[in-house]
Amino acid sequence: MELIELSHPLKDHYLSILRDKNTDFDTFRISASKLSYLLAVEATQHLSLKNVEIETPLVKTKGYEIENNSVAISVLRAGLGLVDGVKDLIPNVSFGYIGVQRNEDTAKPENYYEKLPDLKDKNVFILEPMLATGGSLSFAIDTVKKYNPKNIHALTVIAAPEGIELIKDKHHDITLITASIDEKLNDNWYIVPGLGDMGDRLFGTT
Ligand code: URA
């Protein structure tokens, strides 16, 4: 598994807003959206281009076009907070959704929803902002792999070492991009220092 931790002053700025418990819902959503662009730029470094001929106001010249072969998959519901960056930057990206919930007693993932476009030979970007135990992301990756994608990039805002280890063990063939590798999980499987419950903070639930 390739692991990339973003290093950028804008990342530090917006991530601090997300971490701050006094950040209101609007500001939280806007900052998650802004961070999603930084994650999307990093995750799309490898996308293939085709050559096209274009004409400037002066001459004909060489141009490039991103191939239409990318799919973003939001792991519900927190993954919805990272949709903007991939939607706005990747041309003609299609979207899928996987509903995975953590059983609060066992911390094991359970699937409650799945709606996916064609994934065969596609660049797949899985949006799962909080990598805690790694159970939900691993579950989402297993689901995606059944459809033989070209490659898989997982975009996370915060990753705990425990989750990184699990993904490294089970999925050597993916790239994991995170805005931050945090210290640890606490006894309730929350990431420390973390930002609390990403879904609750995005959607104003408790
Ligand atoms: N999910 C969250 O939203 N936050 C955590 O800290 C861990 C899992």
Side-chain angles (χ1 to χ4, degrees):
M1 179 192 78
E2 187 186 1
L3 174 63
I4 299 169
E5 185 180 19
L6 294 187
S7 169
H8 197 291
L10 291 172
K11 179 271 290 199
D12 292 327
H13 177 84
Y14 290 113
L15 183 57
S16 299
I17 294 173
L18 294 181
R19 288 191 193 280
D20 186 341
K21 69 175 186 177
N22 295 316
T23 297
D24 63 47
F25 300 137
D26 272 347
T27 312
F28 189 92
R29 282 191 276 260
I30 290 166
S31 302
S33 164
K34 299 205 179 195
L35 207 44
S36 74
Y37 287 82
L38 301 178
L39 289 165
V41 166
E42 185 60 47
T44 49
Q45 297 269 14
H46 68 289
L47 283 187
S48 46
L49 292 166
K50 60 182 183 207
N51 294 319
V52 291
E53 192 176 88
I54 51 170
E55 216 172 328
T56 74
L58 305 174
V59 287
K60 285 188 175 165
T61 187
K62 236 170 48 172
Y64 303 94
E65 230 175 67
I66 294 276
E67 291 186 308
N68 288 339
N69 58 353
S70 295
V71 177
I73 298 176
S74 240
V75 179
L76 300 175
R77 69 196 157 128
L80 295 172
L82 297 184
V83 162
D84 288 347
V86 285
K87 168 176 66 64
D88 292 348
L89 293 179
I90 305 176
N92 283 309
V93 63
S94 44
F95 273 89
Y97 300 91
I98 298 178
V100 187
Q101 65 191 3
R102 186 168 59 167
N103 182 308
E104 292 301 327
D105 297 325
T106 64
K108 290 251 184 313
E110 298 169 338
N111 182 351
Y112 65 89
Y113 184 75
E114 183 180 312
K115 181 81 180 167
L116 299 172
D118 182 20
L119 300 181
K120 186 160 168 35
D121 297 327
K122 298 286 167 44
N123 304 298
V124 174
F125 300 92
I126 301 179
L127 314 178
E128 168 63 314
M130 302 300 281
L131 180 62
T133 61
S136 323
L137 180 60
S138 183
F139 185 92
I141 294 170
D142 280 334
T143 305
V144 167
K145 279 182 173 172
K146 285 193 241 157
Y147 301 97
N148 299 314
K150 183 175 174 191
N151 54 55
I152 300 175
H153 287 70
L155 280 64
T156 76
V157 172
I158 298 180
E162 294 87 336
I164 293 172
E165 277 311 304
L166 184 95
I167 301 299
K168 210 188 271 175
D169 281 354
K170 294 200 162 179
H171 303 288
H172 60 93
D173 47 353
I174 76 136
T175 303
L176 177 65
I177 294 144
T178 186
S180 174
I181 299 171
D182 272 15
E183 273 166 43
K184 59 173 184 182
L185 295 180
N186 70 10
D187 294 343
N188 297 316
W189 302 296
Y190 276 88
I191 302 172
V192 180
L195 53 74
D197 187 300
M198 179 89 178
D200 283 348
R201 298 200 62 197
L202 275 170
F203 299 110
T205 48
T206 47

